[in-house]
Every structure is written in structure tokens, then in C-alpha cells.
Amino acid sequence: MALWIQAQQLQGDALHQMQSLYGQHFPIEVRHYLSQWLEAQLWDAIDLENQQDEFKAKRLLDGLIQELQRKAEHQMGEDGFLLKIKLGHYATQLKSSYDPCPLELVRCVKHILYTEQRLVQEASNASSPGSGPVDGTPQRYQQINQTFEELRVMTQDTENDLRKLQHSQEYFIIQYQESLRIQAQLSSLASIPPAERVQRESGLQSRKSTLEAWLTREANTLQKYRQELAEKHQRTLALLRKQQTVIVDDELIQWKRRQQLTGNGGPSEGGLDILQAWCEKLADMIWQNRQQIRRVEHLTQQLPIPGPTEELLTDLNATVTDIISALVTSTFIIEKQPPQVLKTQTKFSATVRLLVGGKLNVHMNPPQVKATIISEQQAKALLKNENTRNDSSGEILNNNCVMEYHQTTGTLSAHFRTMSLKRIKRSDRRGAESVTEEKFTVLFESQFSVGGNELVFHVKTLSLPVVVIVHGSQDNNATATVLWDNAFSETGRVPFVVPDKVLWPQLCEALNMKYKSEVQSDRGLSEDNLVFLAQKAFSSSSNNTEDYCNMTITWSQFNRESLPGRNFTFWQWFDGVIELMKKHLKSHWNDGAILGFLNKQQALDMLMSKPNGTFLLRFSDSEIGGITIAWVAENPNKAGERMVWNLMPFTTKDFSIRSLADRISDLNHLLFLYPNQPKEEVFSRYCTPPNSKAVGDGYVKPEIKQVVKVEFSSPNPEPSPGNSFMEHAASPTVNQHNNFTIYPSMNDSMLDTEGEFDLDETMDMARQVEEFLRQPMETQWSGQQS
């Protein structure tokens, strides 16, 4: 069922909330007449923080205006005439409002659609209390909503009791004043004759005694009312604190944890709208109870009655102030984190948000937020409330921003768009710690008041740890520090303590999350892949997954100590694989064409049982970010013997010259992708179409081919003039003094003892050939014609 149809069926408070979403900023008539169009657009595909998405927002705005105008043109008859004028007016109004800032339209519509969806969902849940979660709503959400309803009833109950107390006290004061008037009359009787005085005194004394007895009883009743009301407030505040703990210490902390894991490639942390709605409800109820307690205080001051109520009220005041303070300071959060690998002299952005800012009217005097970078030690001192003397560990440019209130969404936030870290001051490093292991954090702080300066708050929040680099070559090691911290930090930790060692399965989970995110693939690391990584990390030969389940890996093993016989760490090797895959080989990984995580012996065992020409792709053990082709073929030096060959690894540099699919297509001796897929079925759709020979500007487009300088015999050789040779080079060797020679045979073998090829020499020749082929045709051949 369409969302708008369901929204129109809302009742009571939910209907009122839905209606309050609309106004001059977005008329409800537009929602009604364009409901299908509005719900069909991809509003969530637009990033409100990305200015580059503004053109997408502009397209949506233009589409909305066109739809309104089209709807207006189709209105007929007397009623249609009025509607036509109204819709045309709305089209003009929306264009005028949002044309300068189309992203605000997206923000407005997203908020409307989300809120309607939430209200419909809550109404659906309420209509079937005996059932489980409806439409995927978690059970804990229902519990939170039920507690809010309980709090609403309790707050309304204390409000009713307070009014009753107020009326009783007002009547008590009237009667007390009456007793004072009687006393004054008794005092004035001395001036009248004795006979008359006795008669009147008797009546006044009787009335005075009756009234004083009533006042005594009523004073006790008032004291009882006050006591009962204070105890009710105690229960309400206890439940408010419990609800606040669930929302702030559980739900909001879980959101922050999801946000942290997003840095490792985890799923999106989700929006803050639900959390903000909860926090605003909390703020509203806390403030209502605070005002009630203050009214009781005023009544107590107006009519002091000895008893324990004064002490109770003092405690209640302190409690409610503590609750509201905790809520405000906890809901000052970082919606968009600064980059965790932060390069100096580079612009970066961040967004902070106060979830209760709109409800507490903080935007009436918009506060300013300041960003400062501080060290790990300074962050520890800050959380201990030690005097840090406004220390910082660097200088951030454009680090002040005023919080803005977005009326359409009710959000109060500050968007730092052009911050830049000008300089960084590093601390003395410990032991073997490198600069890429040193953690900093961006401190955001602000000050504002609520309730007409009744309460003043100084709020602070720390970003996730950041690693500062000055050169791109430090990026991979800095990323390792961030990944380890994001994956293994614990809630409520001392900044920024993480365990020095973790269980291998825990690291596997983090590596898999990172890999899938970077390669943008649903195909993660398989159990065999993880066994291969364990063998590499622990220098082990075991193929049994169970052997690694209880093993621990230290930070040093992860990214401080080099792998045996190599000059790089485990992480540097893995990160090299990620970079290669995400830049050039994502499609092939998603197709399952790359096995990747195999060593030479595994490749040998797999290929020797397959026909000649069968090949597979595996990541190089010896080179960071390298991938090699291993294939089985006859040994050219020994008839009847077969062997597995390994090409010198390709890297990102090679694939920027010619793609993997093109290279595999060039090599005629590669026939079947392991286990038995014809290579054309797998790679042909990724191959570059052949260039046309004829061009109109007098130039010939160069064509680069992958060849290997070793002669192989294949089951189905392709006919070619002369001898057939395959050379591992970026292009064929060219003799510029004589006629072109097609792949001359080489007397000296370019294979090393392990059957690999050296690519360094041939890469220089490749560049020369590319340069030569880019010259005009007449220049290439001028030497031969002369």
C-alpha cells in the first residue's frame, strides 16, 4: 500500500504530528497530488553533505515543478479552476524557495517521507500489541515506545495532581486569610460595650475554632499532597533516567559503534532521525517534569509548611538538572566523522549535530562550534577533567562554524566544509612505534544556554582517532592503525587503548569486512582464503581451519614485523591486494575468475591434473599488489614432460598500460581458466575492441600486445607465419633500422630458476615502442624510404 494512503489513516497525536510536517516550506496539497511521483524518486541516493550532488537535487526540483505544472494544466471545471491556480502558485513558491539551495528540498522531502513511515509503523505496531515486531521493527523499539507512553501517562498524572494541589493551596490561603480577619475582629471588640462584645465574641470564637481546626487538617492534607507528588516525581525521574540510559547509553552508543565500523567497510550506521525523535521526546518530558517541580517549589515558598518536602524537592531539582545535563551533553555528536587518515595541507570536512537542539530552542541564539586537534594524552586528560590549558597538537584552518537550524527536518548542526590541518605537533614516540601508529583526535566544543539562560552547557565531543600523515606513502600503514583501532576498540575505553593481540577469527572478520567494502563485492574471503592468510601471518603450513581458531595475532605480526624473507608486513601485502583489486580487477573477482589466495605449490597441485593451457590467477607472494598467471604446458626443453609456469607478477602499473583481459586474450597458449572454462567465455566481454587501421588525421593508433618469449606447443596452435613465440613484454620488439621482425626468438632464456620472467628490462622497451608508435606514420617510415 502506498505510504500516503496509510498516512491518511493516522489518528490522534500521530495525525497531528503528520500534519505538522507541512506548511509554506512544503504544502500538504503538493504531497497529496504528487504522492506517487514523490514516493517513486530516489531521494536517498543524494548525499546532503556532498555539494557535487547538488545537480541531482536540481533535477529533482525541476521534475517536481514540472509535475506540479502538468497536474495544474489537467484540472478542469469550476473546482479544477481554483485548484489549477493553487497548484501553479505552489510551483512558483517552491521554485523560489529551493532554487538557490536544491539540497534543502531533498532534506525536506526525506524528512517528511521518513517521519510518515515511522508514524505509520508505530501505528501499525500499536494496533497489534500481541504480535511480534511489525515491518521489521525491532522489539526493543516497541519497548522504548511503550515506555514513552508510560512516561506520558505519569507526567500527565503529576500535572493533574499539581493542579489539584494548587487549587487546594489557593483555597487554604483564602481560609487562612479569613482566620486572620476573624482574629482582627476579635481584637477590635475591646472598643464596644461589654454586653454586645460578649455576644459577638462568642460567635467569632466559635468560627475561629472551627476554621483553625480545618486549617490544621488541611495543612496536613497539603503536606501529604506535596509528599505524594514528590514521590511520584521521584518515580517518573527514575523511569526517565532508565529510558535515557537505554537510548543514550545503548542505542546511541550502538550507532556510534556502527559508525566506527563503517570506517572499516561495515554497513552504514543508519540515520539519526529515530534517535533524534527519541531524544526530543526525552527532552520534552524531562523539561515538563522540571517545570512541574519548579512550580511545586514556588507553592512551597508561597506557603511554607514544616516537613520533609523541602529536602525532597531539593533532591528532585538536582536529579532533574543532572538528567537534562546528561542528555544535552550526550546528544552533541559527530554525524559525519573527519577522515581517520588525515593528510596535512589537505581540505577535509565534518558535521556535528545536537539531537535536542531544536526541542530546547538552542537555535534561537545559534551557538558556535570550534574544532581542535589534540593528542591521545590530551584526550585522556580531557576525559579526566584535568586542566589541559587549551592545549592543542596542531593548527586547523577554518575551524569555527555556527550551528544552523534546518526547520524542515528540525535538525541543529554545524557543517565544517573546508577545514585543513596546517601543521601537527607530534609527541615523543614509545619504543618501536612509528608516526603512523600515533593517534590524534579532533575535539569539537561549544557553549549555549537553554530555558532563558536558566541552564548553561559547555559541550564537547571527540572524533574517532585519526592518524596524521604528510605523504601518500604513509597511507597504508596509517590505514592499518585505523583498521585495528576501529575493529578492536571497546566501548567506554580510555583514549585510545586497544588490545595488543586479538584472536585470529576476530581479525579475519575485520579483514573480510574491509576487503568486501573496498572491492565493492558481495563475494568476500572464503574459508580457504582465510586459511591461506593464516599460513602467511603465522608462517604455518597447516590447511586445517580449526588449528587457527584459538591462535592470537599481535599488532607487531600484523603491521610492524616483516614477513619471513620479505621486506613488507602482513598488512602491507594484504593492502596491496586490495588496491590492485579495487583499481583494476573488481569485475574479475566478482565473476569468480580470480582465485588469488594461493601459493605456488597449491597452484602446481591444482594445475598438473588439468589439460595443457589451463591457467589460474593468484596473488604474488613476493611483490606487494602483484598478481601472476600460472599455467600448465609442455616443457620445451624435455619432450613429454609437463610443468607449471608462472609469469612475473603484474601490478597496477602494468594494468594501467593494458588490462588483464586484454593480456590474457593476447596469450594464445592460455586456453582454459581453471578448472575448465574457455577463457573467451570469461574475459572476452572485458577486452578492448580492436582499433580501426584508418584514421583521418594521418596518425596510426598504436596497439600494445602481451607476448611471452618462450616457445610452447599447445593442443590447438593457431596458424601464424614463421615461428610462434610469446614474449612477456608490453609490446613486440621493433627493429628501427631494418624491416619489422615479428617476435624474433631469443637464445637466452628469460625464465628464472622458478619459471618466472623478469619484466623490468622489457618495460623500458615497451615505453620506447609506445613512443615510436605514437609518432606520425610518415615519420616512422622515413628512415626506410630514404
Side-chain angles (χ1 to χ4, degrees):
M1 187 185 296
L3 176 61
W4 181 239
I5 295 175
Q6 297 178 75
Q8 293 176 77
Q9 298 171 4
L10 293 172
Q11 297 178 356
D13 184 55
L15 179 61
H16 177 72
Q17 288 184 54
M18 187 269 285
Q19 291 171 337
S20 68
L21 294 170
Y22 300 97
Q24 286 190 342
H25 62 281
F26 199 88
I28 195 169
E29 291 88 346
V30 176
R31 176 69 176 100
H32 180 74
Y33 287 104
L34 298 188
S35 59
Q36 290 185 355
W37 185 88
L38 286 167
E39 292 174 31
Q41 306 310 305
L42 300 177
W43 303 98
D44 288 332
I46 296 179
D47 182 1
L48 296 173
E49 307 304 326
N50 186 355
Q51 290 299 315
Q52 294 181 353
D53 277 5
E54 189 163 351
F55 78 96
K56 297 180 185 177
K58 183 67 166 63
R59 282 210 308 260
L60 282 172
L61 173 60
D62 293 341
L64 176 65
I65 302 303
Q66 290 172 10
E67 286 293 319
L68 270 175
Q69 292 171 342
R70 188 179 298 115
K71 181 70 73 172
E73 289 170 1
H74 290 150
Q75 301 306 312
M76 306 294 289
E78 184 177 343
D79 294 337
F81 174 74
L82 295 175
L83 182 58
K84 180 177 183 177
I85 293 175
K86 185 176 284 190
L87 292 179
H89 170 70
Y90 290 150
T92 304
Q93 175 184 314
L94 290 174
K95 184 172 179 60
S96 173
S97 299
Y98 294 112
D99 207 39
C101 49
L103 285 172
E104 285 303 311
L105 171 71
V106 178
R107 189 191 303 275
C108 171
V109 176
K110 286 173 74 171
H111 175 66
I112 287 172
L113 294 177
Y114 166 78
T115 306
E116 285 181 355
Q117 194 169 28
R118 177 175 60 80
L119 291 171
V120 167
Q121 204 168 59
E122 289 177 356
S124 177
N125 294 345
S127 65
S128 53
S131 63
V134 178
D135 295 333
T137 305
Q139 187 69 40
R140 64 182 189 278
Y141 284 20
Q142 294 186 32
Q143 182 60 52
I144 289 172
N145 291 330
Q146 288 171 9
T147 302
F148 271 128
E149 178 60 22
E150 186 177 349
L151 283 165
R152 187 193 66 78
V153 171
M154 293 172 73
T155 302
Q156 186 60 52
D157 184 41
T158 50
E159 177 65 28
N160 294 337
D161 285 356
L162 178 56
R163 288 175 183 171
K164 179 181 176 182
L165 173 63
Q166 187 173 354
H167 293 155
S168 298
Q169 183 165 312
E170 288 172 354
Y171 186 69
F172 180 90
I173 291 172
I174 292 172
Q175 295 303 109
Y176 180 71
Q177 289 173 342
E178 175 66 16
S179 73
L180 293 178
R181 190 179 65 80
I182 293 173
Q183 182 61 44
Q185 288 178 344
L186 285 170
S187 300
S188 65
L189 290 179
S191 59
I192 63 175
E196 185 181 351
R197 182 172 68 238
V198 170
Q199 183 181 359
R200 294 184 61 186
E201 184 175 21
S202 175
L204 288 172
Q205 285 289 358
S206 175
R207 287 176 58 196
K208 177 183 176 183
S209 299
T210 302
L211 193 55
E212 284 180 346
W214 182 89
L215 287 172
T216 302
R217 291 195 307 273
E218 190 63 17
N220 291 332
T221 301
L222 286 175
Q223 182 65 10
K224 180 183 177 185
Y225 283 168
R226 290 178 181 179
Q227 180 83 13
E228 290 175 349
L229 185 56
E231 289 172 354
K232 284 186 177 182
H233 274 128
Q234 279 183 323
R235 290 193 291 272
T236 302
L237 293 185
L239 187 57
L240 274 169
R241 192 188 288 276
K242 181 180 177 182
Q243 178 81 325
Q244 184 164 304
T245 299
V246 170
I247 293 170
V248 173
D249 293 349
D250 294 344
E251 296 295 333
L252 185 56
I253 293 298
Q254 287 179 32
W255 182 89
K256 290 181 177 181
R257 178 59 181 154
R258 292 194 300 271
Q259 184 187 53
Q260 186 175 23
L261 289 176
T262 302
N264 280 5
S268 171
E269 65 271 33
L272 284 165
D273 289 345
I274 288 180
L275 280 166
Q276 175 161 318
W278 288 341
C279 291
E280 287 180 338
K281 280 186 178 180
L282 271 173
D284 191 33
M285 290 184 175
I286 294 169
W287 199 257
Q288 284 184 48
N289 279 273
R290 184 176 186 273
Q291 295 302 99
Q292 287 180 9
I293 292 167
R294 290 173 66 83
R295 283 160 60 194
V296 175
E297 276 188 322
H298 176 71
L299 291 175
T300 303
Q301 293 165 2
Q302 191 181 42
L303 181 63
I305 300 175
T309 306
E310 290 79 2
E311 187 177 344
L312 272 174
L313 287 174
T314 302
D315 291 342
L316 287 172
N317 236 325
T319 300
V320 76
T321 301
D322 180 57
I323 293 173
I324 191 71
S325 299
L327 179 65
V328 171
T329 54
S330 299
T331 54
F332 182 66
I333 62 171
I334 303 174
E335 183 176 10
K336 179 185 177 185
Q337 292 282 341
Q340 288 189 263
V341 177
L342 192 56
K343 189 178 178 184
T344 55
Q345 310 295 335
T346 303
K347 287 183 180 180
F348 66 96
S349 62
T351 302
V352 294
R353 181 167 163 181
L354 182 62
L355 297 181
V356 295
K359 181 59 67 173
L360 297 178
N361 293 322
V362 175
H363 58 282
M364 301 303 290
N365 186 18
Q368 188 174 79
V369 184
K370 180 181 179 181
T372 312
I373 190 162
I374 62 175
S375 67
E376 184 175 334
Q377 291 302 320
Q378 289 166 338
K380 290 177 182 177
L382 184 71
L383 293 190
K384 291 178 181 177
N385 293 320
E386 296 178 2
N387 183 14
T388 57
R389 305 186 305 280
N390 296 319
D391 285 346
S392 71
S393 291
E395 181 182 355
I396 298 179
L397 303 179
N398 303 319
N399 66 327
N400 287 287
C401 186
V402 175
M403 299 194 87
E404 299 176 353
Y405 181 67
H406 303 276
Q407 188 172 8
T408 54
T409 59
T411 60
L412 183 70
S413 56
H415 304 281
F416 294 83
R417 293 185 174 89
T418 57
M419 287 191 289
S420 176
L421 182 58
K422 183 178 180 181
R423 61 178 181 84
I424 192 68
K425 181 171 66 177
R426 299 191 183 276
S427 58
D428 295 332
R429 292 189 294 280
R430 303 179 292 260
E433 186 183 77
S434 68
V435 293
T436 55
E437 294 178 42
E438 186 178 4
K439 300 172 191 174
F440 297 87
T441 182
V442 180
L443 166 66
F444 295 93
E445 51 188 334
S446 182
Q447 183 170 311
F448 51 84
S449 62
V450 298
N453 293 324
E454 285 183 34
L455 298 172
V456 178
F457 297 103
H458 185 195
V459 292
K460 302 178 182 181
T461 187
L462 296 175
S463 75
L464 293 172
V466 300
V467 178
V468 177
I469 63 173
V470 296
H471 193 274
S473 61
Q474 299 172 308
D475 185 80
N476 63 347
N477 288 325
T479 301
T481 301
V482 168
L483 181 138
W484 189 277
D485 189 278
N486 286 344
F488 309 124
S489 62
E490 296 179 357
T491 302
R493 63 173 172 171
V494 175
F496 289 106
V497 175
V498 285
D500 184 61
K501 61 182 179 180
V502 296
L503 288 171
W504 171 250
Q506 291 178 284
L507 181 61
C508 288
E509 184 179 351
L511 294 177
N512 189 39
M513 182 184 293
K514 184 72 172 177
Y515 187 85
K516 289 172 67 176
S517 170
E518 294 289 340
V519 182
Q520 297 177 355
S521 173
D522 291 331
R523 181 192 168 201
L525 301 175
S526 68
E527 187 173 304
D528 289 339
N529 297 157
L530 295 174
V531 167
F532 170 86
L533 292 174
Q535 291 172 338
K536 183 174 286 291
F538 298 114
S539 300
S540 171
S541 59
S542 172
N543 291 319
N544 188 356
T545 305
E546 300 299 323
D547 291 344
Y548 302 105
C549 287
N550 296 317
M551 292 183 70
T552 57
I553 183 168
T554 65
W555 164 253
S556 293
Q557 288 174 293
F558 180 66
N559 195 47
R560 188 176 285 172
E561 300 168 356
S562 294
L563 292 171
R566 308 296 182 195
N567 60 354
F568 48 79
T569 65
F570 172 84
W571 165 254
Q572 289 167 350
W573 180 87
F574 186 77
D575 185 56
V577 168
I578 290 177
E579 287 299 307
L580 177 70
M581 298 300 292
K582 74 178 183 180
K583 289 180 179 177
H584 298 286
L585 305 178
K586 282 190 293 191
S587 298
H588 301 308
W589 174 264
N590 289 333
D591 291 345
I594 298 175
L595 295 179
F597 298 96
L598 301 169
N599 57 39
K600 282 185 180 178
Q601 185 58 48
Q602 289 171 317
L604 175 69
D605 295 340
M606 293 167 68
L607 289 170
M608 287 302 289
S609 63
K610 298 298 177 182
N612 287 348
T614 303
F615 68 98
L616 57 78
L617 297 156
R618 68 174 188 85
F619 301 127
S620 171
D621 284 319
S622 58
E623 185 164 357
I624 293 179
I627 190 169
T628 184
I629 300 174
W631 76 98
V632 62
E634 297 292 334
N635 185 346
N637 300 320
K638 193 170 182 181
E641 182 179 286
R642 300 198 318 150
M643 61 183 297
V644 171
W645 304 80
N646 293 276
L647 276 183
M648 198 72 176
F650 299 115
T651 62
T652 293
K653 184 178 179 181
D654 301 313
F655 292 133
S656 64
I657 297 172
R658 189 156 177 79
S659 71
L660 175 65
D662 286 336
R663 290 173 183 271
I664 289 174
S665 178
D666 293 340
L667 300 177
N668 295 329
H669 61 283
L670 301 182
L671 303 175
F672 303 102
L673 178 67
Y674 183 90
N676 55 8
Q677 287 181 280
K679 69 177 182 181
E680 292 79 9
E681 292 182 5
V682 182
F683 297 102
S684 60
R685 58 194 171 118
Y686 300 110
C687 290
T688 305
N691 290 328
S692 172
K693 292 184 179 179
V695 289
D697 54 5
Y699 289 91
V700 175
K701 292 184 179 178
E703 186 170 319
I704 301 170
K705 293 286 187 180
Q706 172 76 49
V707 290
V708 176
K709 291 181 178 178
V710 177
E711 184 177 2
F712 296 97
S713 60
S714 66
N716 301 298
E718 295 184 11
S720 60
N723 295 331
S724 174
F725 295 97
M726 286 158 274
E727 177 186 9
H728 184 165
S731 62
T733 303
V734 177
N735 185 334
Q736 298 189 40
H737 302 290
N738 304 303
N739 291 333
F740 284 90
T741 304
I742 307 296
Y743 311 139
S745 62
M746 304 284 291
N747 292 328
D748 56 326
S749 173
M750 298 190 67
L751 294 174
D752 63 16
T753 56
E754 294 183 335
E756 294 195 344
F757 298 86
D758 188 355
L759 184 60
D760 295 338
E761 296 179 6
T762 56
M763 285 303 299
D764 291 335
M765 177 63 73
R767 291 188 195 88
Q768 292 176 25
V769 173
E770 282 185 81
E771 215 170 274
F772 172 74
L773 291 174
R774 287 196 182 101
Q775 297 174 10
M777 189 172 181
E778 57 272 16
T779 306
Q780 295 182 27
W781 293 94
S782 60
Q784 297 179 26
Q785 291 172 347
S786 63

